[in-house]
Amino acid sequence: MITTRGDDRGSFRRRFRGGLILLYLRIAWYGFRRHSAYRSAAFAGAFTNTVFGILRAYVLIALWNARPGLAGYDLADAVTFCFLSQAFIGPMQLFGGGLELSGRVRSGDVAVDLVRPASLQLWSLADDVGRAAYLFLLRSLPPTAVGAALFGLVPPSGPAAWLSFAAGLALGVVVSFGWRYLVALSACWFVDDRGTQSLSLVLTFFFSGMVLPLNLFPGWLGDLARTLPWSAMVQVPADLYLGKRDILDALGFQAAWAVALLALGALATSAARRKVVIQGG
């Protein structure tokens, strides 16, 4: 059998793509193992999330006893939403950070990252997925288990709800990464990125549904909050768990924001190759 030069190129491309997929899987596993080295911090975070979840639950219980059926949730739904939002703090990195990119920009190490044959963005995403998987096990499950034992949380209605919730959780992690990647990459343009990090923290905390369900926000503010990307990190996955939103509509909303943020991240990465300024050595 005679092979042509085009066949050789196609075979090389397939092997190259296969090698990249294995590389990103290895990076995800490395991210999981690297974060597993900090078990004490993870358990401390789980304890903190549990305590604040209990305190928030009692506040919501008082509110829903005064206003039953508020925002379309009954009391059990509201308490479940509370512990779900606490469980999302670790995987979604709702308080910001989780990426070493901004520090590597300041140190100059990003210059090495930008000349790798692998995509800096996908490399960072794979590492972040490993981090999110580890924190889901160590920081998400314990507060949820305690909440279920103390308050009797509402379970998903069936296998479809479980699958849609799992998909929504995964897409929420990608949306969170897409946003945090853009914030971290802003260090290429700003000498000190603490301002953008602080602004990101406020926006994420307020518009994700972490404080209160976005359905409680009045009028145009509620409509705006539900269309912003931060709602894909808490509000949408929680609504999928509770069966409060159409599955295809919710997952399509999250996927659209994930694609948009990753596309913006790819453009910003391309611009950073020409803009990056190394601070110090």
Side-chain angles (χ1 to χ4, degrees):
M1 181 177 178
I2 300 175
T3 60
T4 65
R5 205 171 276 180
D7 294 333
D8 292 339
R9 291 198 194 96
S11 177
F12 173 77
R13 292 193 189 98
R14 285 192 294 271
R15 289 197 301 270
F16 182 74
R17 285 194 293 267
L20 283 180
I21 291 172
L22 290 176
L23 171 65
Y24 294 135
L25 289 174
R26 282 181 173 272
I27 294 169
W29 175 240
Y30 168 75
F32 184 96
R33 292 187 60 188
R34 182 162 57 88
H35 284 86
S36 69
Y38 305 100
R39 294 179 186 175
S40 298
F43 282 121
F47 176 77
T48 303
N49 290 349
T50 303
V51 171
F52 277 95
I54 294 170
L55 295 176
R56 289 181 62 208
Y58 279 115
V59 172
L60 293 181
I61 288 171
L63 177 60
W64 255 259
N65 282 333
R67 296 283 303 276
L70 191 62
Y73 299 145
D74 60 23
L75 179 58
D77 291 336
V79 174
T80 301
F81 187 100
C82 167
F83 279 96
L84 286 174
S85 63
Q86 291 296 125
F88 294 155
I89 290 175
M92 307 293 182
Q93 204 71 31
L94 295 177
F95 293 125
L99 299 175
E100 299 178 352
L101 181 58
S102 57
R104 293 182 68 82
V105 171
R106 288 191 295 271
S107 68
D109 293 336
V110 72
V112 177
D113 300 334
L114 289 171
V115 298
R116 288 192 182 115
S119 163
L120 171 62
Q121 186 184 35
L122 294 180
W123 183 292
S124 301
L125 174 59
D127 182 74
D128 198 59
V129 167
R131 175 204 60 78
Y134 175 74
L135 292 182
F136 174 77
L137 296 176
L138 268 290
R139 287 193 60 174
S140 298
L141 295 183
T144 307
V146 172
L150 293 178
F151 300 97
L153 306 184
V154 177
S157 57
W162 277 111
L163 289 174
S164 64
F165 170 66
L169 180 64
L171 284 171
V173 169
V174 177
V175 172
S176 170
F177 164 80
W179 171 253
R180 288 181 291 112
Y181 182 82
L182 288 170
V183 173
L185 205 61
S186 70
C188 293
W189 287 268
F190 302 104
V191 174
D192 189 344
D193 67 326
R194 285 178 294 182
T196 55
Q197 295 283 358
S198 298
L199 178 61
S200 171
L201 171 61
V202 173
L203 292 173
T204 303
F205 196 71
F206 187 74
F207 285 114
S208 65
M210 182 65 212
V211 180
L212 285 171
L214 299 181
N215 297 342
L216 290 176
F217 287 18
W220 66 267
L221 179 61
D223 294 336
L224 175 64
R226 288 187 291 271
T227 61
L228 294 174
W230 300 286
S231 67
M233 303 177 194
V234 174
Q235 183 70 48
V236 175
D239 279 345
L240 285 170
Y241 180 95
L242 293 168
K244 298 294 184 180
R245 185 162 175 172
D246 179 75
I247 293 175
L248 293 180
D249 174 68
L251 296 180
F253 172 79
Q254 288 182 295
W257 271 117
V259 170
L261 290 173
L262 290 178
L264 286 173
L267 291 174
T269 304
S270 178
R273 294 178 184 276
R274 300 184 296 272
K275 183 65 179 177
V276 64
V277 175
I278 299 174
Q279 304 295 327

